[in-house]
């Protein structure tokens, strides 16, 4: 009804057409009866017009004639000048007085409206205003309001009389209202016995006496519905006030607002007319939207709204809810309004003399939720208000009780509704997020039951908007984050809702939001759950092009057809996520943050819903740091009230991996699941789900049945397979829950993946490295198949490092390759495998890489090989980028060259002694190579290999040492260069003792030679006096030369180049011997070991640690052997061996080829007073290229913690679950070695191992992507990583300096060669009377034949028979 009346007054506002002449100056001054013109510009027509109406309106004329003239003038006014026309008003103003008849007043106000439409200057408008506001009868007040509306130009221009106008309208409201009330009563009583008029009659009754000229059809219809003129006056006043507020709100200040609100409140509480109530609400809506309502007026406004909500069948819900929102949610005023609403206000009851206190919020919520009007918008406003109140108003106990009572009422009323709109549900969830952690469990349960029930019905509706549904999930996530630290029951309740929202058939964006939370769940060693902000999955995100850099570069390859398909898509496609209802203001949008110059790049068929780089926006708010105090993932006493059941989450993950049809969800799981699974303690009790997951991945990878990426992503099935292999690698941490069959399948899957999928080979090899340490017996069963797979990948040069490092690790783990020395059936073919062929496969693989490196060197004409990219893009980030280096930049031939020779050594020593000789000839043959002229060559490192085989082919005695009971001062000694060795023979004076020392490249052999001299027979006669009685004086009875001749010579002639070279015992030889003997017979490495205690992060406090945790000490004891430094007979790599300046003990490890000394900071002296910066420790740690960081800090380790030019590789060992039970004293106090007690089985069993590298060093480690390792396998795994890193660092540093890496053995070989160059007769003739070989492969010799040979390697070889000469096993 009010809408029709509004239209009624609006149509009356339409200005009449006027000519340009009508906008003249103001009226000229006139006197009664004077009809002359005051301006010369007036025409005779204007004068005649004025004279006519002055005469027709003259007060002496009959009223009927004057009324007709007034109406006629109103119609013609627009055709004449205003200044002359206004001269007429004084003779017609008596028509509007209250003494005039009703018809006369109507005609007079019609004339005033016409004048108001054409008024010009300020004086005229003021005069007309005062003429309009003369006292009138209530029934004619609508005419007055209509004239004011015309004069103010629909409330837009009130400047000359604004204050008076507002005062007039506000003051008149009461009289208008009571007149309308009286008229309504009178009308009701007079119409009891009368028939109700028809619509046509009603319409006609409102246009009598000329009013039809001013009313349109719609206005007449509305007036016909009203049938009460007084009510029209009130409605018109409401309408005019609303317009004035809209255009001139600055006229309304505190007092005016309070008076207006008071009038509105009074009217609303005393009427039941919906039209009047609608008018009141419209004014309240405009008033609250444009003006700051004084605080004392807020309560009346809300009281009015509360009353109106109780009235049934009102149809102005929008205005009502807007007013309510403006009052309750006014920006910056919640803190003022909340105390008023939640506090108490006086409420009087009829008949009571006392005043009772009652919370207004209770009345308001009861009216809105219990009233006849079920307004979803208003429900939403109240719920949002409750949320804001709780957030910004600090409630006392009484206030909180009121608040919870209102909240329970709201939930109770909404629960009776059949359905809840999504916006209301969002507000409920947001309210729960705000107050959930602080309200009582009873209220919380009521609230969450409602949210749960409505969420279920919402997600069933396929028409539900995904973006809007996501807002509910966001609110639940915020609630989880806020409840999680302190409330177990509430956290569990919300967790169950989130699990429901992440289930199948739910909106994708909602599921993804929940997954962003659930994949961030972690726990500490006490099983306490926490939410981490960074999921630590950058490497895998790069594989699937889900980082900002990879995504942008990938999208640049889109085709035009893809672009066209995007341009045709709906504009309503999702652009991001927001925690607010207004989608246009999303704060979690990915595409909204793109710069405009990337327009061409973001055109793709399906814009990604998530990007890893936006981890800061993944959650609606940052989680609280640290684990919860009350929420656990597992407890010994199985307290279900505080334990989250993560089994449903794992089942959801399994379903996504099994189905794979939703690429957004599938890719998110592929990227983020490995990091979460690495927190083994989190899923330790969900064995069934872990087993199902392992079996599923094995089946999918073996059968290639996993989901393939969409075509538009430009990714391959190999990319997905790579991610699945990473998940399977993490599952190795759960191997104790798998049976033999599952473990066999696991290893078989990794083995087949080496050459089954592109890019997955490296991941599979790294997984097999971990298997060697974790499940060596399983590797042992598959060792033959694995080595065959590896040998087939030799042509893929980018895997050379990984393959060789795997073979090197395997050789040092006898329990993982015991089958290599036995004739056992192969697991695949079930046929017997010759162990010689197994070793030949490994040697062949290594020699193949040596040959490839040699070919690269020859191709580029460079010796030594240096075709390695010296700059690597790998950074010291928290996660390794698996595909960061292009294939061509991962070859590193110099490192491959060194590794290949090392692996040959390792595996040759792994062969049983009795079987080694059969491999010598083949290895020697393959190591030799011919140049373009057919000349045979053998590189120095190959010579070292031959030297090693020469020493070990028939012996496994290992290291030797000189006899301790020999006094060299009393003994005779002689040195010879014998081939590529230096032989020293030392003989005692009596000839009883003789020591032979043979110095070779691969080691030094000390052996005792004793001649068993027989007792002389009785009949023996001495030929020389005293000789037989050993009366020799100063001459020995046996000279060193005798020993050498007995062992190496006969009467057969020896070519001069092959004859031993006798060396004099001069200063040069003695210096050479001392330098040579100081060179280790093993490759030496130094590795720093640093302990980071709880909460530590700075270099100074870390270096000040003097002890570590029990787990750290246990790790140290497995890393090496505790050795005493003072008097140490080995290379301590710079640690003091005389006065314990660097500590009393350290840890070291050694095998036949390698020695590692660990610089353990906790075992070095700490002097806080004199050396607070730990400079003494820095002398060693700062020069260690490789460091092992045992990180118990509970924080991510930062690579730059120990700045140094030599800081290249950090192997970080971190408990997979932070140990929450550390003592505060950990890190300081007694020596780190003091506590050697065994660690209980309940203490941490698994650790995450990750290799961090400086930007200048490539990241080639098997732990470039973190690996989860058991405590038992940890020391060996980390030691092998450190050894490989140390070797690579040495090779790499030499390359950066444009040098060549030389091993210890090779350096010794070079020194022997230098000695031969100084003393050897390498140019002597080689023509000796030896027969030439016939056609047989092995030469045979006949006396008298000549033989021509070539001097090489300290010996001689016949033409094209170098390899035959090198194979000492032919005669050895």
């Amino acid at each position: 009804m009010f809408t029709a009346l509004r239209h009624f007054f609006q149509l009356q506002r339409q200005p009449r057409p006027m000519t340009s002449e009508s906008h003249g100056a103001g009226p000229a001054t006139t006197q009664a009866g004077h009809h002359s013109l005051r301006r010369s510009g007036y025409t005779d027509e204007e004068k005649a017009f004025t004279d006519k109406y002055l005469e027709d309106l003259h007060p002496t004329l009959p009223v009927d004639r004057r009324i007709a003239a007034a109406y006629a003038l109103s119609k013609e006014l627009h055709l004449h000048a205003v200044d002359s026309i206004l001269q007429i008003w004084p003779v017609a103003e008596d028509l509007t007085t209250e003494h005039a008849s009703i018809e006369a007043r109507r005609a007079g106000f019609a004339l005033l409206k016409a004048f108001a439409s054409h008024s010009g200057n300020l004086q005229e408008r003021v005069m007309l205003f005062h003429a309009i506001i003369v006292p009138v009868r209530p029934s004619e007040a609508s005419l007055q309001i209509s004239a004011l509306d015309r004069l103010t130009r629909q409330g837009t221009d009130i400047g000359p009389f604004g204050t008076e106008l507002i005062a007039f309208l506000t003051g008149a409201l009461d009289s208008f209202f009571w007149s309308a009330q009286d008229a309504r009563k009178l009308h009701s009583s007079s119409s009891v016995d009368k028939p109700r008029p028809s619509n046509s009659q009603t319409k006609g009754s409102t246009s009598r006496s000329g009013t039809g000229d001013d009313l349109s059809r719609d206005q007449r219809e509305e007036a016909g519905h009203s049938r009460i003129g007084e009510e029209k006056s009130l409605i018109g006043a409401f309408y005019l006030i609303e317009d004035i507020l809209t255009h001139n709100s600055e006229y309304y200040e505190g007092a005016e607002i309070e008076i207006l609100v008071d009038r509105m409140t009074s009217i609303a509480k005393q009427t039941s007319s919906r039209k009047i109530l609608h008018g009141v609400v419209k004014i309240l809506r405009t008033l609250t939207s444009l003006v700051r309502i004084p605080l004392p007026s807020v309560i009346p406004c809300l009281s009015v709204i509360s009353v109106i909500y109780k009235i049934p069948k009102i149809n102005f819900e929008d205005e009502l809810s807007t007013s309510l929102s403006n009052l309750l949610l006014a920006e910056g005023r919640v803190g003022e309004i909340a105390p008023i609403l939640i506090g108490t206000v006086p409420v009087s009851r009829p008949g009571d003399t006392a005043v009772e206190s009652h919370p207004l919020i209770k009345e308001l919520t009861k009216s809105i939720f219990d009233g006849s009007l079920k307004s979803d918008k208003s429900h939403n406003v109240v719920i949002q208000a409750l949320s804001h109140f709780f957030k910004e108003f600090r409630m006392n106990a009484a206030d909180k009780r009121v608040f919870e009572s209102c909240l329970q009422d709201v939930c109770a009323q909404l629960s009776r509704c059949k359905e809840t709109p999504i916006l209301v549900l969002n507000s409920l969830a947001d309210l729960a997020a705000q107050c959930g952690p602080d309200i009582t469990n009873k209220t919380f349960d009521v609230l969450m039951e409602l949210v749960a029930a409505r969420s279920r019905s919402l997600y069933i509706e396929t028409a539900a908007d995904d973006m809007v549904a996501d807002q509910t999930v966001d609110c639940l996530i915020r609630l989880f984050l806020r409840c999680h630290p302190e409330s177990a029951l509430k956290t569990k309740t919300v967790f169950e809702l989130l699990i429901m929202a992440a289930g199948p058939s739910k909106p994708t964006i909602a599921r993804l939001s929940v997954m962003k939370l659930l994949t961030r769940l972690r726990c500490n060693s006490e099983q306490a759950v926490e939410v981490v902000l960074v999921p630590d999955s950058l490497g895998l995100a790069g594989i699937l092009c889900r980082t900002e850099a990879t995504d942008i570069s990938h999208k640049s390859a889109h085709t035009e057809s893809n672009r066209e398909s995007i341009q045709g898509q709906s504009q309503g496609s999702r652009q991001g996520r927001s925690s607010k209802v207004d989608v246009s203001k999303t704060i979690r949008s990915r595409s909204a943050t793109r710069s405009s110059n990337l327009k061409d790049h973001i055109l793709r068929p399906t814009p990604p819903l998530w990007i890893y780089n936006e981890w800061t926006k993944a959650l609606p708010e940052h989680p609280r740091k640290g684990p919860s105090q009350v929420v656990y993932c597992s407890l010994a006493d199985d307290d279900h009230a505080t334990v989250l059941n993560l089994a449903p989450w794992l089942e959801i993950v399994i379903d996504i991996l099994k189905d794979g049809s939703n690429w957004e969800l599938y890719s998110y799981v592929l990227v983020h699941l490995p990091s979460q699974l690495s927190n083994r303690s989190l899923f330790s009790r969900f064995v069934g789900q872990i087993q199902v997951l392992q079996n599923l991945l094995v089946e999918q990878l073996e059968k290639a049945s996993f989901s393939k990426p969409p075509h538009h992503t430009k990714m391959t099935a190999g990319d997905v397979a790579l991610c699945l292999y990473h998940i399977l690698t993490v599952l190795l941490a759960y191997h104790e829950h798998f049976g033999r069959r599952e473990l066999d399948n696991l290893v078989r899957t990794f083995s087949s993946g080496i050459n089954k999928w592109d890019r997955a080979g490296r991941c599979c090899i790294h997984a097999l490295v971990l298997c060697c340490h974790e499940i060596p017996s399983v590797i042992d069963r598959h060792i033959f198949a694995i080595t065959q797979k590896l040998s087939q990948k030799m042509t893929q040069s980018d895997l050379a490092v990984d393959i060789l490092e795997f073979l090197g690790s395997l050789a040092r783990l006898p329990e993982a390759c015991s089958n290599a020395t036995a004739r056992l059936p192969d697991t695949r073919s079930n046929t017997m495998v010759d162990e010689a062929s197994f070793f030949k496969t490994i040697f062949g693989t290594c020699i193949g890489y040596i040959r490839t490196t040699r070919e690269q060197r020859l191709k580029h004409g460079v010796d030594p090989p240096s075709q390695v990219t010296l700059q690597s893009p790998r950074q010291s980030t928290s996660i390794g980028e698996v595909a960061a280096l292009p294939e061509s930049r991962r070859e590193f031939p110099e490192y491959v060259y060194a590794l290949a020779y090392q692996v040959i050594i390792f595996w040759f020593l792994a062969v049983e002694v009795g079987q080694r000789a059969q491999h010598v000839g083949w290895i020697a043959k393959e190591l030799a190579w011919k140049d373009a002229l057919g000349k045979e060559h053998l590189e120095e490192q190959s010579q070292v290999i031959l030297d090693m085989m020469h020493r070990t082919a028939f012996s496994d005695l290992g290291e030797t040492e000189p006899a301790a009971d020999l006094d060299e001062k009393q003994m005779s000694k002689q040195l010879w260069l014998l081939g590529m060795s230096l032989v020293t023979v030392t003989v005692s004076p009596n000839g009883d003792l003789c020591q032979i020392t043979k110095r070779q490249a691969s080691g030094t052999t000390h052996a005792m030679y004793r001649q068993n001299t027989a007792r002389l027979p009785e009949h023996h006669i001495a030929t020389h006096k005293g000789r037989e009685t050993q009366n020799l004086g100063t001459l020995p009875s046996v000279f060193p030369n005798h020993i050498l001749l007995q062992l190496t010579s006969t009467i057969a002639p020896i070519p001069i180049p092959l004859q031993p070279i006798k060396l004099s015992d001069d200063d040069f030889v003695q210096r050479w011997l001392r330098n040579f003997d100081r060179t280790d017979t093993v490759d030496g490495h130094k590795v720093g070991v640093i302990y980071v205690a709880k909460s530590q992060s700075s270099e100074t406090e870390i270096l000040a640690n003097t002890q570590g945790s029990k787990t750290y000490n246990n790790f140290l004891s497995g890393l090496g052997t505790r050795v005493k430094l003072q008097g140490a007979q080995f290379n301590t790599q710079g640690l003091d061996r005389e006065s314990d300046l660097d500590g009393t003990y350290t840890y070291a490890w050694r095998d036949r080829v390698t020695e590692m000394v660990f610089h353990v900071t906790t075992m070095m002296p700490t002097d806080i007073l004199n050396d607070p910066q730990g400079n003494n420790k820095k002398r060693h740690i700062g020069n260690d290229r490789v460091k092992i960081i045992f990180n118990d800090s509970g924080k991510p380790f930062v690579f730059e913690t120990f700045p140094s030019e030599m800081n290249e590789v950090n192997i970080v060992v971190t408990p997979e679950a932070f140990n929450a039970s550390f003592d505060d004293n950990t890190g300081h106090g007694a020596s780190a070695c003091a506590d050697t007690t065994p660690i209980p089985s309940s203490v941490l069993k698994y650790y995450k191992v990750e290799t961090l590298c400086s930007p200048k060093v490539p990241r080639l480690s098997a732990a470039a992507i973190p690996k989860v390792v058991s405590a038992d396998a940890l020391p060996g795994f980390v030691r092998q990583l450190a050894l490989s890193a140390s070797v690579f660092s040495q090779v790499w540093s030499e390359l950066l300096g444009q040098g060549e890496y030389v091993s210890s053995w090779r350096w010794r070989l070079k020194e022997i060669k230098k000695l031969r160059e100084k003393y050897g007769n390498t140019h002597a003739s080689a023509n000796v009377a030896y027969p030439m070989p016939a056609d047989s492969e092995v030469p045979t010799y006949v006396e008298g034949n000549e033989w021509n040979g070539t001097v090489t390697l300290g010996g001689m070889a016949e033409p094209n028979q170098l390899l035959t000469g090198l194979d000492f096993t032919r005669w050895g």
Side-chain angles (χ1 to χ4, degrees), residues 412-455:
Q413 291 300 323
L414 288 177
S415 64
R416 298 189 186 102
C417 301
K418 294 183 178 180
E419 58 183 30
T420 301
I422 182 63
L423 294 179
V424 176
L425 178 60
N426 285 341
S427 298
L428 275 174
D430 182 70
L431 174 60
Q434 292 293 343
C435 67
D438 299 307
I439 58 179
T440 61
N441 289 337
K442 177 182 178 182
T443 306
F444 183 85
D445 289 342
V446 171
L447 177 59
M448 296 314 295
E449 284 178 7
L450 177 62
V451 173
R454 293 300 179 255
S455 297

Side-chain angles (χ1 to χ4, degrees), residues 346-357:
V347 177
S348 299
R349 294 180 178 176
D352 291 345
T353 57
V355 176
E356 179 185 4
S357 294

Side-chain angles (χ1 to χ4, degrees), residues 968 973 975 982 984 997 999 1004 1063-1081 1307-1308 1311 1315:
E968 293 191 2
K973 181 172 62 175
L975 291 78
L982 181 69
T984 303
T997 302
R999 293 175 173 88
T1004 299
L1063 301 179
S1064 60
D1065 194 11
D1066 57 17
D1067 292 339
F1068 176 83
V1069 173
Q1070 289 301 317
R1071 286 195 306 272
W1072 186 94
L1073 286 173
R1074 288 193 296 270
N1075 292 333
F1076 189 86
D1077 288 341
R1078 278 196 296 266
T1079 304
D1080 294 332
T1081 57
W1307 188 92
R1308 290 165 62 96
E1311 290 300 304
L1315 203 61

Side-chain angles (χ1 to χ4, degrees), residues 684-914:
S684 59
R685 69 188 184 100
F686 305 106
V687 176
Q689 287 76 18
I690 293 296
Q691 291 173 337
V692 171
L693 178 60
Q694 187 260 355
N695 291 329
L696 172 65
L697 296 180
V698 167
E699 179 183 0
Q700 288 185 341
L701 287 169
E702 286 292 286
K703 298 181 179 179
S705 59
F706 54 83
S707 296
K708 310 306 185 291
H711 176 71
H712 71 267
T713 64
K714 306 298 180 184
M715 285 179 283
T716 66
D719 298 321
V720 175
L722 177 56
C723 294
L724 293 176
Y725 280 118
H726 278 292
I727 300 175
L728 205 58
T729 302
V730 177
L731 289 178
L732 277 171
Y734 303 82
H735 66 82
E736 64 184 33
H737 301 303
F738 303 151
R740 173 168 177 162
R741 179 179 178 182
E742 285 77 15
L743 292 176
D744 283 335
N745 290 337
L746 192 66
V747 171
R748 188 178 296 113
T749 300
F750 287 132
S751 176
S752 63
I754 293 174
N755 52 14
K756 188 172 185 178
W757 299 103
D758 294 339
R759 297 180 64 188
R762 181 171 298 106
C763 176
C764 292
I765 295 172
H766 291 171
L768 290 172
V769 171
L770 185 57
C771 290
C772 290
H773 293 269
E774 292 287 2
I775 47 176
S777 61
V778 183
I779 288 289
D780 197 21
R781 294 196 294 270
H782 296 266
I783 188 66
F784 303 113
I786 293 173
T787 53
Q788 288 295 326
K789 295 286 186 182
L790 294 176
S791 66
Q792 295 168 8
K793 297 295 287 186
M794 278 201 310
T795 56
Q796 192 169 337
S797 57
D798 64 295
L799 291 181
V801 170
D802 308 288
I803 292 174
L804 291 172
E805 286 186 347
F806 168 77
L807 293 175
S809 299
L810 184 63
R812 285 188 165 99
L813 297 169
E815 62 273 22
C817 55
S818 61
N819 282 343
T821 59
R823 290 177 58 83
L824 295 177
D826 179 63
T827 56
R828 285 286 189 180
S829 61
N830 203 32
T831 59
M832 301 305 292
V833 178
D834 182 7
E835 63 93 13
S837 65
F838 165 77
F839 286 108
K840 189 173 182 179
T841 299
I842 294 179
F843 295 141
T845 301
C846 298
I847 293 171
Y849 285 124
I850 293 172
R851 187 179 296 118
T852 301
T853 304
R854 182 189 304 123
E855 290 172 356
Q856 290 181 5
R857 181 200 342 166
L858 296 176
K859 178 180 179 181
H860 295 282
V862 179
D863 188 13
S866 59
Q867 304 303 310
V868 184
T869 303
L870 299 183
Q871 182 178 1
S872 171
R874 290 181 177 259
Q875 303 293 323
S876 57
T877 53
S878 61
I879 289 295
E881 287 280 2
V882 177
L885 285 175
E887 306 299 331
S888 59
R889 302 181 68 181
R890 288 188 55 93
E891 296 179 3
F892 307 105
E894 189 66 36
Y895 181 48
V896 172
Y897 182 78
L899 268 181
Y901 279 112
Q902 281 191 356
V903 174
I904 292 176
I905 295 172
F906 299 156
W907 278 99
F908 186 82
L909 296 176
V911 178
E912 292 291 335
V913 178

Side-chain angles (χ1 to χ4, degrees), residues 466-757:
D466 286 4
M467 283 297 300
V468 181
D470 187 41
Q471 309 312 314
T472 302
V473 171
D474 273 0
C475 295
L476 292 177
I477 293 173
R478 284 191 285 121
L479 179 57
F480 181 93
L481 295 174
R482 295 171 185 179
C483 293
H484 152 263
E486 299 175 356
S487 177
L489 293 177
K490 294 176 181 177
T491 302
K492 286 190 64 176
T493 301
V494 181
F495 178 77
E496 291 170 358
L497 287 177
L498 291 172
I499 288 293
M500 177 193 69
S505 76
K506 306 302 187 295
T508 296
I509 187 172
R511 298 182 70 188
L512 188 60
S513 297
V514 177
M515 290 166 60
K516 289 180 179 180
L517 170 68
L518 297 183
T519 53
R520 284 169 166 79
L521 295 182
R522 302 290 188 274
C523 77
N524 64 8
S525 62
E526 302 297 328
Q527 311 293 317
V529 175
E530 68 174 312
V531 181
V532 298
L533 181 62
V534 184
D536 204 26
S537 303
L538 177 60
L540 297 180
I543 294 173
L544 297 185
C545 298
R546 288 298 177 135
T547 63
E548 189 171 88
T550 55
D551 181 57
I552 292 176
S553 62
H554 202 69
K555 287 183 288 189
S556 63
H558 286 333
T559 61
E560 289 300 322
S561 60
N562 286 340
R563 296 174 186 271
E564 293 172 0
S565 65
I566 287 299
Q567 293 171 353
Q569 288 184 351
S570 170
Q571 297 298 322
S573 61
R574 178 187 183 277
Q575 297 296 316
R577 298 182 51 228
S578 169
S579 59
K580 297 183 178 180
V581 175
D582 187 357
V583 179
S584 65
K585 299 180 180 179
T586 55
I587 62 173
R588 299 169 61 191
S589 169
R590 183 187 75 82
S591 58
T593 62
R594 300 287 191 190
S595 58
S596 59
N597 62 349
L598 298 179
K599 180 178 180 181
D600 290 339
H601 291 298
I602 61 176
L603 295 174
R604 58 186 307 168
T606 306
L609 299 185
W610 67 274
I611 289 292
Y612 180 82
N613 303 64
E614 295 184 346
W615 52 264
T616 56
K617 301 177 184 179
L619 300 177
E621 63 185 43
H622 285 193
R624 185 183 301 182
K625 291 184 178 179
S628 171
Q629 302 299 314
V630 294
V631 181
Y632 300 87
C633 61
S634 178
L635 284 178
D637 56 3
D638 201 21
D639 183 3
H640 297 289
T642 60
V643 175
L644 287 184
N645 181 16
L646 296 177
W649 163 234
L650 284 176
E651 290 167 359
I652 290 173
V653 168
I654 292 170
D655 288 341
I656 292 174
L657 291 175
K658 186 181 298 184
D659 176 60
S661 59
N662 190 321
W663 176 244
E664 294 297 327
L665 302 181
Y666 188 63
S667 61
Y668 194 87
V669 169
L670 292 177
V671 169
H672 292 84
L673 183 59
S675 176
Q676 187 176 36
L677 286 174
S678 66
N679 186 193
R680 188 183 182 280
S681 299
L682 186 67
F683 299 113
S684 59
R685 69 188 184 100
F686 305 106
V687 176
Q689 287 76 18
I690 293 296
Q691 291 173 337
V692 171
L693 178 60
Q694 187 260 355
N695 291 329
L696 172 65
L697 296 180
V698 167
E699 179 183 0
Q700 288 185 341
L701 287 169
E702 286 292 286
K703 298 181 179 179
S705 59
F706 54 83
S707 296
K708 310 306 185 291
H711 176 71
H712 71 267
T713 64
K714 306 298 180 184
M715 285 179 283
T716 66
D719 298 321
V720 175
L722 177 56
C723 294
L724 293 176
Y725 280 118
H726 278 292
I727 300 175
L728 205 58
T729 302
V730 177
L731 289 178
L732 277 171
Y734 303 82
H735 66 82
E736 64 184 33
H737 301 303
F738 303 151
R740 173 168 177 162
R741 179 179 178 182
E742 285 77 15
L743 292 176
D744 283 335
N745 290 337
L746 192 66
V747 171
R748 188 178 296 113
T749 300
F750 287 132
S751 176
S752 63
I754 293 174
N755 52 14
K756 188 172 185 178
W757 299 103

Side-chain angles (χ1 to χ4, degrees), residues 925-1067:
K925 176 183 178 182
E926 295 300 320
L927 288 177
W929 61 281
K930 293 183 179 180
D931 59 19
L933 300 177
K935 184 178 180 180
E936 293 178 315
H937 297 271
L938 197 68
E939 295 163 321
E940 279 189 350
Q941 193 62 38
S942 297
Q943 297 170 33
V944 168
I945 294 291
L946 287 175
D947 187 84
M948 179 272 303
M949 294 191 296
H950 190 276
R951 293 185 65 245
T952 60
F954 301 102
S955 170
D956 207 13
L957 296 179
E959 300 287 336
T960 62
E961 61 182 3
D965 55 348
L966 292 180
D967 184 3
E968 293 191 2
K969 294 181 180 180
Q970 303 296 325
M971 305 180 72
S972 60
K973 181 172 62 175
Q974 183 61 57
L975 291 78
W976 289 272
L977 269 173
L978 184 60
M980 298 304 291
S981 67
L982 181 69
V983 177
T984 303
V985 179
T986 306
V987 182
S988 62
N990 58 10
D992 292 339
L993 296 177
C994 176
Q995 178 174 267
I996 303 173
T997 302
K998 186 178 183 182
R999 293 175 173 88
Q1000 296 177 241
S1002 59
T1004 299
T1005 303
H1006 300 276
M1008 298 300 297
Y1009 175 84
R1010 186 183 185 97
Q1011 180 174 305
N1012 296 321
T1013 304
R1015 182 181 297 274
L1016 295 176
E1018 296 179 357
H1019 57 279
H1020 180 80
I1021 299 173
T1023 56
H1024 299 282
K1025 184 177 180 180
R1027 288 296 178 94
E1028 286 77 5
T1029 60
Q1030 303 296 317
N1031 184 16
L1032 303 178
T1034 59
L1035 297 176
S1037 60
V1038 178
F1039 285 86
N1041 313 62
H1042 169 75
I1043 304 300
L1044 181 68
L1045 290 174
Q1046 297 302 311
L1047 296 177
T1048 64
S1049 178
T1050 68
I1051 64 170
I1054 300 176
I1056 294 176
L1058 300 183
Q1059 295 174 2
I1061 301 173
K1062 187 176 181 180
L1063 301 179
S1064 60
D1065 194 11
D1066 57 17
D1067 292 339

Side-chain angles (χ1 to χ4, degrees), residues 113 348 394 719 1239 1265 1372:
K113 285 177 61 177
S348 299
R394 182 170 295 178
D719 298 321
I1239 299 177
I1265 289 220

Side-chain angles (χ1 to χ4, degrees), residues 1300-1354:
E1300 179 185 6
Y1301 169 72
V1302 177
S1303 67
S1304 176
W1305 289 358
R1306 187 176 173 190
W1307 188 92
R1308 290 165 62 96
L1309 177 66
K1310 286 179 175 290
E1311 290 300 304
I1312 294 175
K1313 286 185 174 181
K1314 289 179 182 178
L1315 203 61
R1316 287 197 64 86
E1317 289 174 0
K1318 182 175 179 63
Y1319 294 102
N1321 186 4
T1322 58
H1323 302 290
S1325 173
N1327 294 325
V1328 187
Y1330 280 136
M1332 287 293 293
D1335 295 334
S1336 59
E1337 181 180 353
V1338 179
T1340 58
Y1341 307 106
V1342 179
E1343 290 284 340
N1345 288 349
E1346 292 186 354
W1347 177 87
N1348 294 320
T1350 302
V1351 178
T1352 180
L1353 301 178

